[in-house]
Amino acid sequence: MIGFLILFPLVIAAVLLFIKNNSVRTAIVCSAAAIIALATLVFCATNIATPGVYIEFSSQIIDYICALASILIGVCVIAFAIRYKNVWAGILAGVQLVASLVFEFAFAHGIHVAYGLYFDSLSVAMAFIIGIIGTGICVYALGYMEDFQREHADEKDRRPVFFAIMFLFLSAMYAVVFSNNMSWLFTAWEITTVCSFLLIGYTRTEEAIRNAFRQIIMNIAGGLGFSVALYFCAIALKTLSFYEFIALGAYTPALVVLPASALAFAGLTKAAQMPFHTWLLGAMVAPTPTSALLHSSTMVKAGVFMLVKLAPVFVVSMVPSMMVILVGGITFMLASFMAISQSNAKRVLAYSTIANLGLIVACAGVGTPEAIWAAIFLILFHAIAKSLLFLCVGTAEHHIGSRNIEDMDLLFERMPKLARLMMLGIMTMFIAPFGMLISKWATLVSLVEMNQVVLLVLLAFGSAATFMFWAKWLGKLSGIAAAQESVEVTVTKTEWASLYLMAALIVLCCFFLPVISNYIVLPYIATVYANPVAALGDDILWITGILAVVVTLLLFVGLNRKAPKGKKASVYLAGVSADNANRTYINAMSQRSEATVRNWYLESLFGESRIKPIGEISCTLIIIAAFAMSLASITAVF
């Protein structure tokens, strides 16, 4: 089943590359998505509560394929760097290409990893995110990209490449979560980097190319960190088994402090933590399905997956642990602050993603069973809620012509179904009884028990900022004034199907919180720690789950009810009306004013220019200090 999940999306990607007919592409994407989703569900159902299964599998052919893939990745990036005259990307890709070849033929070739593949309950959870949410986004992209191409009719139709990369992304992510051979894991890791690069630069505008190169430069830097860890494992530890590396680190932390820091660095870049967060903001220029895929089920989730896997090492190794905790905590608080100053909905989602990833990263750095319990739930609910929100914003943008929150006035009436779905996604991110707040509560509990005072302060201030920017957006959506014509009649069936899928996943995951805890999260913790402990009890989880279902029902009740017949009244402007259609009135100074309800963005306090340097400088210094201490520590050991 693992082989099927990795290879089938790869085959579909190869097929889609040659499909130009829209109807045929729709049939293939929908069929493939259904097959992958079904296979994922069967895999999850048959391996629920698994303590961890290591599969005896090694293959020289796969070793050579991975080496070839590394060469192709390096050549591809160098070719783009030459074409667009980007010196840094070319240099870094060249260094990584040489490092990969030397490693493969001088060091890795003689190391045998008997158990090349594995899965545990964390892999099962990640497979669910990749296979259900990822494929749902691919289906949504059918309608979105059709509209996108219609709006860019003068440009060449490159949708075959777009959908091929989307499925290649899914294949690489399955390989990331199932590979125990670190060499194979690294290849899949780098494939996600290149896929992200190609999708961000899809439109080939100057801005898209600039942001695509920013992403590739930062993530190749992380890839070089990964390479340092590979060299160390091969030369000093004589193993490339990820399981053996983690076990060795948990019992002899002094021995792995450098490779653990290097892998943590790679995870921080992929998870867009400060000072590498700008690549994720730049990725917002890509078509919305790309943003949804990067934020929910692929690119950034690979980073936090790596850090959560390394948690048993962090809990006993102070240097990489403190680096991860501080970078994650600072990123959470400052990214939440910066989100307050944003009115562009995609940038709010981007900053929110960076912030929530920061919280997951900090939990991984703490590394206790309670913190990992919270981190896995944060990963799950963030993936579902953020994919729903991105898809909602993309749909709204196509129908109201803007992604600015201030232009979403009366969306509750203009797009009644979409507005409710968007509100559900927002409430999931910050309101009780939905999943993200429950996960943050669990985080708070675990930090209190660990006496992590600094993290508690960062969590408190960051959460307050989170409440502010989500509440502003929610308030904007819920405004009602007179009857408006619905403009959502042209939303395609594939888009609705994906949107309702994400909404259903939110409700189901909220309701089955205790089941997920007992059969997914706790079994994983039991495989890693001697004392598997849930941060919150089942009684609390059942109560919140039931309440989440009730709130959702109240939100959607009466959605399809026909409006009562009656006379439509104009908007009352509380004064002398000048133009009701345009909502203008004569004010006390006998001048025309427009009636608007605008949010408060506090640019002077929370603007990017004020806060970003603080985060970038402090996190850079923390990372440099961690590597300096790691080098000093490892020198003392050897």
Side-chain angles (χ1 to χ4, degrees), residues 121-437:
S121 289
L122 180 59
S123 307
V124 171
M126 290 297 296
F128 179 82
I129 291 171
I130 299 163
I132 307 300
I133 299 173
T135 53
I137 293 169
C138 290
V139 171
Y140 173 87
L142 288 166
Y144 183 94
M145 293 307 292
E146 193 173 345
D147 290 341
F148 184 89
Q149 190 60 41
R150 195 177 298 120
E151 293 169 5
H152 299 77
D154 54 331
E155 298 176 9
K156 183 181 177 183
D157 185 357
R158 286 181 286 108
R159 282 180 289 172
V161 175
F162 180 87
F163 282 96
I165 297 173
M166 295 278 276
F167 276 86
L168 177 60
F169 224 143
L170 299 183
S171 173
M173 278 301 298
Y174 278 124
V176 165
V177 301
F178 291 138
S179 294
N180 184 50
N181 186 323
M182 293 175 73
S183 184
W184 300 353
L185 171 57
F186 177 66
T187 301
W189 181 274
E190 289 305 287
I191 290 174
T192 64
T193 297
V194 173
C195 287
S196 176
F197 169 73
L198 296 174
L199 287 175
I200 294 170
Y202 175 77
T203 59
R204 298 187 179 178
T205 62
E206 186 178 342
E207 183 184 17
I209 296 297
R210 184 174 63 251
N211 287 311
F213 275 107
R214 178 184 296 152
Q215 182 278 139
I216 201 80
I217 288 171
M218 291 185 174
N219 281 286
I220 288 182
L224 289 173
F226 204 132
S227 298
V228 170
L230 287 178
Y231 270 89
F232 191 95
C233 289
I235 297 170
L237 306 180
K238 306 297 182 187
T239 182
L240 287 175
S241 164
F242 198 28
Y243 167 76
E244 289 177 10
F245 170 77
I246 294 171
L248 191 64
Y251 289 103
T252 54
L255 200 60
V256 302
V257 64
L258 180 61
S261 297
L263 286 175
F265 173 74
L268 292 176
T269 58
K270 190 77 81 177
Q273 297 298 282
M274 287 184 167
F276 308 105
H277 65 292
T278 51
W279 78 256
L280 194 62
L281 295 168
M284 295 301 103
V285 301
T288 294
T290 298
S291 305
L293 199 67
L294 295 179
H295 285 240
S296 61
S297 57
T298 57
M299 187 72 173
V300 298
K301 290 297 184 291
V304 292
F305 169 77
M306 169 66 75
L307 294 168
V308 170
K309 289 294 291 183
L310 291 171
V313 180
F314 295 149
V315 79
V316 293
S317 185
M318 189 188 74
V319 174
S321 170
M322 290 308 297
M323 177 178 79
V324 172
I325 288 174
L326 290 175
V327 170
I330 292 171
T331 301
F332 170 67
M333 186 179 74
L334 297 186
S336 299
F337 284 168
M338 285 187 278
I340 292 175
S341 66
Q342 304 299 313
S343 61
N344 182 319
K346 284 185 78 172
R347 285 186 76 83
V348 173
L349 294 179
Y351 272 118
S352 162
T353 293
I354 295 166
N356 283 290
L357 292 172
L359 195 57
I360 298 167
V361 167
C363 287
V366 172
T368 60
E370 295 89 344
I372 297 305
W373 188 95
I376 295 174
F377 271 109
L378 285 168
I379 290 173
L380 178 65
F381 280 106
H382 178 264
I384 303 172
K386 202 50 70 71
S387 60
L388 175 60
L389 284 170
F390 265 109
L391 301 189
C392 285
V393 169
T395 306
E397 183 182 4
H398 269 179
H399 289 79
I400 66 174
S402 172
R403 64 176 68 157
N404 194 306
I405 293 171
E406 293 302 324
D407 295 329
M408 293 183 184
D409 275 322
L410 312 180
L411 199 68
F412 200 76
E413 293 173 328
R414 287 189 289 171
M415 303 187 77
K417 296 178 188 173
L418 189 81
R420 285 171 168 84
L421 291 169
M422 195 181 287
M423 293 169 77
L424 177 63
I426 292 174
M427 289 193 295
T428 303
M429 292 300 296
F430 83 111
I431 283 182
F434 292 98
M436 282 298 283
L437 192 74

Side-chain angles (χ1 to χ4, degrees), residues 496-513:
W496 279 129
S498 300
L499 289 164
Y500 279 119
L501 169 66
M502 304 304 168
L505 287 176
I506 287 177
V507 178
L508 289 173
C509 288
C510 285
F511 183 73
F512 289 111
L513 269 170

Side-chain angles (χ1 to χ4, degrees), residues 489-556:
V489 290
T490 57
V491 179
T492 64
K493 291 181 180 178
T494 54
E495 288 173 318
W496 279 129
S498 300
L499 289 164
Y500 279 119
L501 169 66
M502 304 304 168
L505 287 176
I506 287 177
V507 178
L508 289 173
C509 288
C510 285
F511 183 73
F512 289 111
L513 269 170
V515 176
I516 297 170
S517 172
N518 291 325
Y519 293 97
I520 299 290
V521 183
L522 283 177
Y524 172 70
I525 295 174
T527 63
V528 179
Y529 302 94
N531 182 28
V533 181
L536 299 173
D538 280 0
D539 51 348
I540 297 174
L541 298 181
W542 276 120
I543 292 170
T544 55
I546 293 169
L547 287 174
V549 173
V550 172
V551 173
T552 305
L553 290 175
L554 291 175
L555 180 64
F556 285 88

Side-chain angles (χ1 to χ4, degrees), residues 436-457:
M436 282 298 283
L437 192 74
I438 301 304
S439 305
K440 286 182 181 176
W441 182 11
T443 306
L444 186 68
V445 171
S446 63
L447 295 181
V448 168
E449 291 180 352
M450 287 294 295
N451 296 318
Q452 292 278 354
V453 178
V454 175
L455 262 185
L456 281 171
V457 172

